[in-house]
Amino acid sequence: SQELEQSPQSLIVQEGKNLTINCTSSKTLYGLYWYKQKYGEGLIFLMMLQKGGEEKSHEKITAKLDEKKQQSSLHITASQPSHAGIYLCGADKGGGNTPLVFGKGTRLSVIA
Amino acid sequence: SAVISQKPSRDICQRGTSLTIQCQVDSQVTMMFWYRQQPGQSLTLIATANQGSEATYESGFVIDKFPISRPNLTFSTLTVSNMSPEDSSIYLCSGSGNLAYEQFFGPGTRLTVL
């Protein structure tokens, strides 16, 4: 079965600093999803990557999928307190419209 | 994108009772899924809610404990039966949109069992 490893498990950064979260899959990824979760709440969809080498950006967040489609990174530029939360990567099992397998998450704290 | 709502948002229940969680999507979705997130853990798939037929359960989850209904393409319910403190979790439903590679989540139901 597919497993996703996220690193780091937790991260504390100073406001204004850049940071990167990594997600590594045990198998080739068909689709890689990034979500953000505020404590105890639902998941907010950030981005979805499908193609090797693909890169997507939204505001100050950029996600990349490597050429081999086994690793993804999420980069936040000039972090703000609003970026704090848990970031989860999820992989679909192939073909779309399938449930997701999730990593354990990265807890991000942004301090002033 | 689809907007998903869940009821209740949270509940505190007594051991041995049952709770039904409702999931409503504002548009028709192909697939609906139910996940559980135990304290400090990531999401684990409980089952796929199939419209008009029995849900498909993941290993470790059974219909008697987690009966699921999906009467149409916008609505599903998950019941947590005969609850124990180990069932204390956040339960989330998700919908897979008309585009194959979309999946949106509800706000979750935080369940505490005493």
Side-chain angles (χ1 to χ4, degrees), chain A residues 30 33 35 37 39-43 45 48 50 88 92-93 95-100 102-104, chain B residues 30-31 33 35 37 42-43 45 48 58 90 92 96-97 99-107 110:
Chain A
Y30 289 97
Y33 297 70
Y35 293 90
Q37 184 180 31
Y39 177 72
E41 298 180 5
L43 276 63
F45 173 78
M48 185 267 178
Q50 265 187 281
L88 292 155
D92 77 48
K93 296 182 179 180
N97 283 328
T98 60
L100 302 182
F102 284 91
K104 292 186 177 180
Chain B
T30 307
M31 306 293 287
F33 308 104
Y35 295 83
Q37 187 178 30
S42 190
L43 280 74
L45 180 68
T48 299
E58 295 298 298
I90 298 173
L92 298 112
S96 183
L99 297 176
Y101 293 99
E102 289 183 324
Q103 193 162 142
F104 299 95
F105 283 79
R110 178 182 286 275

Side-chain angles (χ1 to χ4, degrees), chain A residues 8 11 17 82:
Chain A
L11 197 52
K17 296 295 186 183
S82 61

Side-chain angles (χ1 to χ4, degrees), chain B residues 46-64:
Chain B
I46 297 172
T48 299
N50 300 309
Q51 194 259 328
S53 65
E54 198 170 279
T56 305
Y57 290 84
E58 295 298 298
S59 175
F61 297 96
V62 295
I63 187 171
D64 290 344

Side-chain angles (χ1 to χ4, degrees), chain B residues 17-56:
Chain B
T17 62
S18 298
L19 176 72
T20 295
I21 303 167
Q22 298 179 4
C23 177
Q24 178 74 55
V25 190
D26 70 345
S27 60
Q28 292 185 349
V29 291
T30 307
M31 306 293 287
M32 293 182 75
F33 308 104
W34 286 96
Y35 295 83
R36 180 175 74 180
Q37 187 178 30
Q38 293 179 300
Q41 303 296 314
S42 190
L43 280 74
T44 300
L45 180 68
I46 297 172
T48 299
N50 300 309
Q51 194 259 328
S53 65
E54 198 170 279
T56 305

